[in-house]
């Protein structure tokens, strides 16, 4: 077996094991299944190019996570570069089934957050990163991470408590 074939096999094995995890994480970051798939594809292409270096360091997850977040933030900064494909209302992806009503309310509240706050929350609480690691992934200061996290948590609390009040009034 050639060295190139071994590299490809290792990469395929890694992607098969982690793709679903990264797809769900990308969805939490962007709130759109189509964009999440694009972000994961972008991350995996870049990961494959860097595979010999990254794989020996054991930094595959961190590298992929960083690419997903940065690609999402870049996408939001340059909306004129995006193309919109399909017809509104006819080309929607089928969301994965959520098992709890609380999960649905949380995802709705998470989608309502501004992009940087959403990315900060996902990195800090989904990926369980420290403030410093989150700042590194987002290419910003630790103070920015702290302020974005505090604002996001306050917004989530307000949205979720308002949602609870609405449900109580319906009952």
């Amino acid at each position: 077996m050639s060295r190139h074939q071994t590299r490809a096999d290792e990469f395929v094995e890694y992607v098969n094991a982690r793709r679903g995890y990264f797809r769900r994480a990308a969805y939490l970051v962007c709130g759109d299944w189509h964009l999440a798939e694009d972000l994961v594809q972008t991350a995996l292409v870049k990961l494959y190019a860097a595979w010999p270096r990254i794989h020996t360091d054991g930094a595959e997850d961190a590298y992929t996570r960083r690419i997903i977040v940065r690609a999402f933030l870049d996408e939001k900064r340059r909306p004129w570069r995006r193309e919109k494909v399909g017809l509104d209302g006819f080309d929607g992806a089928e969301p994965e089934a959520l098992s709890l009503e609380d999960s649905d309310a949380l995802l709705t509240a998470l989608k309502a957050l501004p992009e940087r706050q959403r990315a900060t929350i996902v990195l800090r609480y989904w990926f369980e990163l420290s403030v410093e690691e989150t700042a590194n992934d987002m290419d910003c200061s630790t103070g920015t991470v702290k302020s974005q996290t505090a604002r996001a948590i306050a917004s989530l609390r307000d949205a979720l408590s308002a949602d609870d009040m609405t449900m109580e009034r319906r009952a």
Side-chain angles (χ1 to χ4, degrees), residues 18-140:
R18 302 298 287 165
R19 183 183 187 94
Y21 173 75
F22 286 124
R23 185 172 178 261
R24 287 186 299 275
Y27 174 74
L28 289 174
V29 169
C30 70
D32 178 298
W33 286 109
H34 291 293
L35 180 55
E37 188 63 38
D38 290 346
L39 294 172
V40 171
Q41 287 295 325
T42 299
L44 293 178
V45 166
K46 291 182 178 186
L47 177 64
Y48 186 75
W51 186 254
R53 177 178 46 89
I54 299 298
H55 185 59
T56 59
D57 291 344
E60 302 92 346
D61 283 357
Y63 187 81
T64 307
R65 178 186 66 240
R66 188 175 301 122
I67 294 169
I68 288 170
V69 171
R70 288 184 180 173
F72 169 68
L73 294 174
D74 286 346
E75 181 76 12
K76 290 301 176 183
R77 280 187 213 127
R78 294 185 210 84
W80 61 86
R81 291 182 60 188
R82 287 194 309 265
E83 292 181 25
K84 191 160 186 170
V85 183
L87 301 172
D88 289 335
F90 293 101
D91 200 19
E94 186 70 28
E96 291 182 14
L98 298 173
S99 60
L100 301 171
E101 290 178 2
D102 290 342
S103 296
D104 188 39
L106 180 59
L107 282 174
T108 301
L110 191 61
K111 283 184 191 179
L113 293 175
E115 290 84 15
R116 290 189 68 80
Q117 288 181 16
R118 187 178 327 139
T120 303
I121 290 293
V122 172
L123 288 171
R124 292 279 291 128
Y125 298 104
W126 174 264
F127 287 115
E128 299 178 351
L129 298 183
S130 68
V131 171
E132 292 77 18
E133 291 169 323
T134 302
N136 184 41
D137 281 7
M138 292 182 64
D139 199 24
C140 65

Side-chain angles (χ1 to χ4, degrees), residues 1-20:
M1 186 180 283
S2 73
R3 189 171 146 204
H4 180 71
Q5 186 61 35
T6 303
R7 171 187 170 195
D9 291 342
E10 289 172 346
F11 181 77
V12 167
E13 183 179 329
Y14 173 78
V15 169
N16 287 338
R18 302 298 287 165
R19 183 183 187 94

Side-chain angles (χ1 to χ4, degrees), residues 101 162-171:
E101 290 178 2
D163 189 46
D164 288 344
M165 290 175 57
T166 304
M167 289 184 151
E168 288 174 10
R169 288 182 189 153
R170 287 183 200 157

